[in-house]
Amino acid sequence: YTGSDFLFEEGFDNGNIPDQWTSSTSAECDNPGWFVTDNASSSYFNVPDRDGFYISTNDDACGSSSDGSNDYLYTSVLSLQDASITLSFMRYFNNFYGHTGHVLISTDNWENYDEVLILSQQQGSNYSEWIHETIDLTEYSGQNIQIAFHSNDNGGWAAGLALDDIRLAVAPPWITSN
């Protein structure tokens, strides 16, 4: 991102969810919802190695009784400059068994939100590696936003979502991202 500054860069290198970020889950067993780890793999959700810690959900953690439909990871409120804004991250998502992943943006403390990315079975078939995602959020420039990552097993199990290197890049409007 030539000419960009990062409002935040989160690689989970300290082994924790960042201060001011929150997570929630409706899981009733030992499924932790979102957790920071260097190995989120299980029998049915096999996450390829990464360069250290990352954050993940894995509803396979407690078998078929798990409810992984409401695993949310929320950033703190982010004050965006009047600039070009880009959200990028690495993700591993195998989308088996009807699982979906969502990126949501709210400008009003979650009374309303926009879905800016959905990962589902219809989107590609590469299940064996981490993939880089980039989302243009320039339409939110000059606003206060929150970002949520939502992992939804949609009633199935043996699935999850892993994220790493989450970055919010800010570039003045006259500079474009490469």
Side-chain angles (χ1 to χ4, degrees):
Y1 296 98
T2 305
S4 296
D5 291 319
F6 293 111
L7 185 57
F8 71 80
E9 294 181 83
E10 186 52 57
F12 308 98
D13 297 329
N14 68 359
N16 296 305
I17 293 176
D19 291 342
Q20 310 297 316
W21 288 29
T22 58
S23 66
S24 65
T25 185
S26 60
E28 295 177 10
C29 64
D30 293 332
N31 179 359
W34 287 97
F35 61 100
V36 177
T37 184
D38 62 355
N39 183 3
S41 293
S42 62
S43 299
Y44 294 96
F45 182 61
N46 189 15
V47 182
D49 287 338
R50 204 61 198 131
D51 60 355
F53 290 108
Y54 54 88
I55 195 162
S56 184
T57 62
N58 180 349
D59 76 345
D60 190 32
C62 55
S64 61
S65 64
S66 176
D67 178 4
S69 64
N70 289 305
D71 293 340
Y72 287 89
L73 175 66
Y74 299 97
T75 66
S76 58
V77 174
L78 305 165
S79 296
L80 302 182
Q81 303 165 6
D82 187 15
S84 296
I85 311 293
T86 304
L87 174 66
S88 67
F89 52 91
M90 296 298 295
R91 57 99 171 157
Y92 177 74
F93 175 74
N94 65 12
N95 66 25
F96 295 150
Y97 311 107
H99 186 236
T100 55
H102 310 262
V103 179
L104 312 171
I105 305 292
S106 179
T107 59
D108 59 8
N109 201 32
W110 300 107
E111 289 186 33
N112 300 286
Y113 62 85
D114 297 324
E115 185 172 59
V116 295
L117 177 70
I118 184 169
L119 302 170
S120 67
Q121 198 163 18
Q122 290 76 29
Q123 293 179 305
S125 58
N126 186 343
Y127 309 125
S128 62
E129 66 185 39
W130 287 83
I131 295 174
H132 184 255
E133 293 285 349
T134 302
I135 304 168
D136 183 358
L137 299 181
T138 302
E139 70 182 274
Y140 300 97
S141 70
Q143 299 181 59
N144 292 329
I145 68 166
Q146 282 182 284
I147 301 169
F149 299 92
H150 174 207
S151 178
N152 186 347
D153 69 5
N154 291 294
W157 64 284
L161 174 61
L163 303 172
D164 200 8
D165 298 331
I166 302 171
R167 296 182 174 115
L168 193 64
V170 179
W174 58 89
I175 297 176
T176 58
S177 299
N178 294 331

